[in-house]
Amino acid sequence: MNKRVKRLALGAATAALVTMGSFAPAMADTVLKFISWQTDDAGTGEWWHSAIAEFEKQHPGVKIEFTKAERSSYADTMTTLFAANQPPQIVHLASFEFQMFADSGWLEPLDPWLRKDGIDMTGWAGQKTCEWNGETVCIMTNYFGFVMAYNKKIFDEAGIAVPKTYDEFLAAAKATTKDLNGDGIIDQFGTGHETKGGPGQYLTEMLNYIIDAGAYWTDKEGNITIDTPEMVEGLTRWKTVMKSGVSPVDMSASDVRKLFADGKMAMRLDGPWLYGTTEKGSAKSDIVYVAPPLTPPLGGSSNVLAMPSDIPDDQKQLVWDFIKLTMTAEFQRSYATMGGNTPPSPKADVSGVEKTIPHFPVLLATMKAASEKGIDRVPIGLELYYNEFSKMIMEESQRMIIQDLDPAAVAKTMQAKAESIKG
Amino acid sequence: MTDTVQAGRRKFFDLARPSRQHLLGYILIAPAVLMVAAIIVWPLILAIDLSFQQVKIPRLGGASRPFSVSNYVWLFSSQEFWLACWVTLKLVIVVTAGSVAVGLSTALLVNNRFEGRTVARLGMALPWAVPEIIAVVIFAWMFDTSFGLFGWLAIKLGFTGQMIPWVSSSTAAFWAVAITMVWKGFPFVSIMCLAGLQSIPSDYYAAAKVDGASSFQRFRWITMPLLMPVLGVTLVLTLLWVFRDFSIIKVLTGGGPLRSTQTLSIMTYDQAFQYHNFGRAAAVGVLTLVICIIASLLMLGRRSKSIY
């Protein structure tokens, strides 16, 4: 009997130890999931890692699990996680894809959190985009302006000056597009546009020309404004550029940037992230950044931080602490120094950044110019239908180029289809 | 009395008794049935249920929306759906025919005795072994409009004076997808046909030769009829693969340009993840399933009758 009791006690103690052992790590650490497509982006990825390290230092026992999801399938991943009731605690989304989640009521309104901490968002670039149904549902992480990078060596060889207008840009692109070895295949392009990365990217690329022509998809009230003479001019320019062979076709953004970085392209209109690629390219020393010849520069909100509405309150506080940390003056400055990005905070101290990133003043100037003109890639009134809208615009533009259609007729078709999408 | 009841229970659970042996069968198969129900039937029921709701993004455990046939009404009145059906049908015919033609030819080739047959058989099966996504990325590079191998070859061989816009021309994009799918799909047909060919007794051919039958006659009257059971099943499996394949089209063309390569599977994806119309996506998925079932039944039925 005594022996049996001893055995039972020993067994119970072992079981207790095993059970406690397995619980111990869970009690010690609170884990916040943070999924992003920028985990290993040159500069920006390092900035996120530094913010996470600082947060974990300030919150002992709290870990942030920073996981990568590819940009091409990012929206699918987040949709699946939200649909399965398993959203990450720190929600990182592109500025054109958060609206669906906000509209479903899955994002926490941040106004009470901002008020509690007395944070004034006046002048925060692109923050208006984060307002949904009258509530702030996210914090704009990045608002950018497009710049133009050109290859000085190619320009010098062609004996041309840096273009200041669309006509000069087109002429320069034509002059620098060459079959260098005479095999019938173009080896050097005047410029480059991504046309394979999906409708959203296609729209961004063509928007450079549309905005320069004085057109846009909607007005400030959200009315569709496609069937206008300005839009016809913008579409004509896009058609001209794509049909004249000055840009490679059917290429992804990374391929186009690589081509430019390696000296196979004369000019590229792009956002601040181009710098990360050109720094690794073989033509690094020939590349110069200037203000784009197409004005106002294309700009817009890029990505946002948010939190899910149905996570426990203690986790909400931690997520807010993390978001707040990224908004501090220190991290807004390092967003520029480390990531080469233009911080959205109007109070960000960016003095001296040009010592490490020489073209930073150009980035800042184009960002401000775009912000002042209220330029954004996501048209007002079509936020919920952006994917459907952008696919329609891409298809009609492709039809215009492939079937050589009149841009005026295409603008009419786009107007009718956009109105139908909006309902 | 108690002893009698207990004895009765023992008799009932005595699975060794001949009259109870069927119970043992059911018990043994139950885990597999439950597993199939959990991973196939339950999601299927969810999809059918979703297709009858007007829902943008569903949430697991969330409240259901009222019953509605609006997704099906939209589907049947949508030009996009009928275009996707047409593209799918074209692709099914071209890829199935291409895969069977190449697969059967290679199987007949490697069924003969010749030096290097083992290497040839290995080479024939290689595309099947390459993961689909890797194969598609390689083909995407070869079909690249600016620097692709196929465009370069076309120029060098004098077929064209400039690079072919594989992905931005509706016709070229369709053929780029079809060629890639045939390359990826023919080894399966080949392996199946080879197995079928090896099961045909050589005596039949010997007897036919004695009777003076030519090579074509032996192929027509011995090989084909005896290969039909295998070929029938292979055809159905290939057809179903083409119907549901997603990654080849998604990576190569994304369904474009101008929806010239948008099949039903791409349309399902677009409705769900691009436009966030999960109800409509489920409706497309359910209809695709119905079409696949009908096609399979028709093909297997006709094959069975013709063979036996």
Side-chain angles (χ1 to χ4, degrees):
Chain A
M1 181 70 183
N2 200 18
K3 208 172 180 180
R4 185 182 276 180
V5 170
K6 275 182 181 172
R7 277 183 184 166
L8 273 172
L10 192 68
T14 312
L17 272 172
V18 169
T19 315
M20 293 304 285
S22 63
F23 272 114
M27 285 167 72
D29 287 334
T30 299
V31 178
L32 300 179
K33 285 185 185 161
F34 177 18
I35 299 172
S36 173
W37 64 94
Q38 294 180 330
T39 51
D40 47 16
D41 275 12
T44 310
E46 288 150 29
W47 180 76
W48 283 119
H49 282 286
S50 71
I52 290 167
E54 179 60 28
F55 175 84
E56 288 177 348
K57 205 169 102 185
Q58 290 177 8
H59 297 79
V62 182
K63 294 269 174 216
I64 292 181
E65 196 180 279
F66 194 33
T67 315
K68 178 164 179 141
E70 285 298 331
R71 182 59 241 170
S72 54
S73 57
Y74 193 77
D76 305 356
T77 306
M78 295 303 275
T79 304
T80 309
L81 286 170
F82 269 95
N85 244 334
Q86 298 286 326
Q89 283 87 353
I90 300 169
V91 178
H92 189 208
L93 290 165
S95 62
F96 52 81
E97 66 198 9
F98 79 85
Q99 292 84 353
M100 181 54 72
F101 301 101
D103 200 56
S104 301
W106 296 341
L107 298 183
E108 171 85 358
L110 299 179
D111 298 296
W113 297 90
L114 287 164
R115 268 197 302 275
K116 194 176 79 174
D117 285 311
I119 298 173
D120 179 14
M121 296 301 285
T122 310
W124 192 276
Q127 185 56 26
K128 203 167 167 45
T129 307
C130 275
E131 287 173 19
W132 191 254
N133 290 337
E135 287 177 326
T136 302
V137 292
C138 57
I139 301 296
M140 189 57 64
T141 309
N142 188 5
Y143 185 91
F144 63 91
F146 261 38
V147 290
M148 187 181 84
Y150 71 93
N151 187 308
K152 194 172 181 308
K153 191 178 161 199
I154 296 177
F155 266 57
D156 289 345
E157 280 168 5
I160 51 172
V162 180
K164 304 276 184 210
T165 62
Y166 162 73
D167 291 325
E168 289 176 13
F169 175 81
L170 184 63
K174 282 179 178 170
T176 49
T177 299
K178 287 176 182 171
D179 170 12
L180 296 172
N181 56 9
D183 65 352
I185 299 169
I186 301 293
D187 310 293
Q188 179 183 289
F189 291 93
T191 187
H193 290 294
E194 181 199 2
T195 53
K196 206 188 170 186
Q201 191 59 31
Y202 192 97
L203 233 69
T204 302
E205 296 281 346
M206 67 189 290
L207 207 49
N208 284 292
Y209 303 96
I210 306 266
I211 291 175
D212 186 56
Y216 195 62
W217 313 117
T218 58
D219 62 17
K220 285 181 180 164
E221 280 74 46
N223 302 306
I224 310 289
T225 53
I226 300 177
D227 189 13
T228 62
E230 291 83 6
M231 184 61 77
V232 174
E233 171 61 22
L235 290 174
T236 307
R237 289 179 181 188
W238 177 245
K239 186 181 170 186
T240 307
V241 169
M242 295 315 290
K243 276 190 88 84
S244 59
V246 297
S247 165
V249 288
D250 308 329
M251 274 203 167
S252 67
S254 56
D255 290 340
V256 172
R257 286 182 192 128
K258 186 86 178 74
L259 215 56
F260 175 71
D262 287 341
K264 304 280 183 194
M265 193 181 285
M267 297 175 283
R268 167 79 182 149
L269 298 161
D270 212 332
W273 42 83
L274 177 64
Y275 184 62
T277 310
T278 55
E279 278 299 280
K280 291 177 190 162
S282 56
K284 178 184 166 185
S285 56
D286 300 320
I287 288 168
V288 181
Y289 284 81
V290 291
L294 310 177
T295 53
L298 172 60
S301 47
S302 173
N303 53 88
V304 303
L305 276 178
M307 72 164 103
S309 54
D310 51 5
I311 55 172
D313 286 345
D314 56 333
Q315 287 189 0
K316 279 183 185 170
Q317 182 61 55
L318 289 171
V319 174
W320 176 247
D321 286 351
F322 179 74
I323 294 175
K324 211 167 58 176
L325 180 73
T326 65
M327 296 164 72
T328 57
E330 180 199 347
F331 275 92
Q332 283 296 295
R333 177 172 168 76
S334 63
Y335 197 51
T337 54
M338 289 175 76
N341 297 299
T342 44
S345 169
K347 294 171 191 160
D349 173 20
V350 288
S351 57
V353 180
E354 66 276 7
K355 284 176 193 160
T356 48
I357 303 168
H359 66 282
F360 193 76
V362 181
L363 292 176
L364 213 54
T366 56
M367 186 268 262
K368 281 181 180 164
S371 180
E372 278 165 15
K373 292 278 180 185
I375 305 288
D376 206 308
R377 294 178 295 172
V378 188
I380 296 167
L382 286 167
E383 295 92 343
L384 271 182
Y385 318 100
Y386 183 69
N387 286 350
E388 209 169 344
F389 171 76
S390 55
K391 184 151 188 178
M392 181 276 288
I393 295 289
M394 181 183 81
E395 282 182 356
E396 293 310 318
S397 302
Q398 284 177 333
R399 204 185 309 279
M400 171 178 74
I401 294 163
I402 294 170
Q403 299 175 3
D404 199 19
L405 301 177
D406 176 15
V410 173
K412 279 193 199 317
T413 310
M414 285 179 175
Q415 173 86 22
K417 288 196 172 181
E419 282 170 355
S420 166
I421 288 170
K422 200 181 167 196
Chain B
M1 182 68 182
T2 314
D3 288 346
T4 317
V5 172
Q6 278 181 345
R9 277 181 189 162
R10 269 200 300 273
K11 272 184 188 174
F12 185 79
F13 288 109
D14 184 4
L15 300 174
R17 291 180 63 190
S19 61
R20 294 280 179 271
Q21 276 182 356
H22 68 282
L23 275 179
L24 178 65
Y26 288 135
I27 290 168
L28 290 175
I29 208 170
V33 170
L34 287 173
M35 186 72 87
V36 167
I39 62 174
I40 296 175
V41 181
W42 185 60
L44 199 62
I45 292 168
L46 277 184
I48 294 169
D49 182 42
L50 208 58
S51 75
F52 287 106
Q53 295 175 46
Q54 262 193 304
V55 59
K56 299 290 275 182
I57 307 180
R59 202 156 203 197
L60 208 63
S64 285
R65 302 284 175 94
F67 178 87
S68 163
V69 291
S70 60
N71 293 324
Y72 290 96
V73 172
W74 167 82
L75 207 59
F76 288 118
S77 60
S78 155
Q79 210 181 345
E80 186 186 346
F81 172 68
W82 294 112
L83 182 64
C85 285
W86 172 235
V87 172
T88 309
L89 181 70
K90 277 198 298 181
L91 208 59
V92 162
I93 292 169
V94 170
V95 175
T96 308
S99 299
V100 168
V102 180
L104 183 59
S105 307
T106 47
L108 288 167
L109 184 74
V110 297
N111 193 40
N112 293 315
R113 289 182 189 281
F114 61 92
E115 210 170 314
R117 186 171 75 161
T118 313
V119 177
R121 283 184 176 179
L122 194 70
M124 179 196 80
L126 205 60
W128 186 250
V130 178
E132 188 161 283
I133 198 71
I134 294 172
V136 184
V137 169
I138 294 167
F139 268 86
W141 271 108
M142 291 197 292
F143 281 119
D144 185 86
T145 305
S146 304
F147 305 104
L149 176 71
F150 290 133
W152 178 81
L153 273 175
I155 290 176
K156 289 289 168 199
L157 296 173
F159 293 132
T160 174
Q162 56 187 15
M163 296 294 278
I164 301 165
W166 288 104
V167 186
S168 52
S169 153
S170 302
T171 313
F174 178 83
W175 285 105
V177 167
I179 290 167
T180 310
M181 288 184 102
V182 169
W183 185 85
K184 193 75 189 84
F186 90 84
F188 173 68
V189 180
S190 210
I191 291 164
M192 295 289 278
C193 287
L194 187 60
L197 286 170
Q198 289 186 337
S199 69
I200 301 173
S202 56
D203 299 0
Y204 292 4
Y205 293 105
K209 269 185 186 173
V210 170
D211 288 346
S214 66
S215 300
F216 177 75
Q217 283 171 323
R218 289 199 298 274
F219 174 74
R220 171 69 184 86
W221 298 109
I222 298 173
T223 309
M224 281 312 283
L226 292 173
L227 204 57
M228 268 311 184
V230 174
L231 209 52
V233 174
T234 310
L235 265 174
V236 172
L237 291 175
T238 307
L239 179 142
L240 292 179
W241 169 68
V242 181
F243 244 106
R244 65 174 174 76
D245 192 77
F246 171 78
S247 54
I248 290 178
I249 305 173
K250 182 69 187 162
V251 174
L252 268 185
T253 64
L258 310 181
R259 306 192 187 203
S260 58
T261 55
Q262 182 177 277
T263 55
L264 288 167
S265 57
I266 294 283
M267 188 184 173
T268 308
Y269 168 83
D270 278 356
Q271 284 298 331
F273 291 103
Q274 295 289 309
Y275 310 151
H276 296 124
N277 282 323
F278 275 76
R280 287 181 179 180
V284 183
V286 169
L287 277 177
T288 308
L289 176 74
V290 171
I291 295 169
C292 283
I293 290 171
I294 293 170
S296 306
L297 286 175
L298 283 174
M299 290 197 70
L300 280 176
R302 286 178 76 85
R303 286 297 120 215
S304 305
K305 277 174 195 162
S306 69
I307 297 155
Y308 303 109

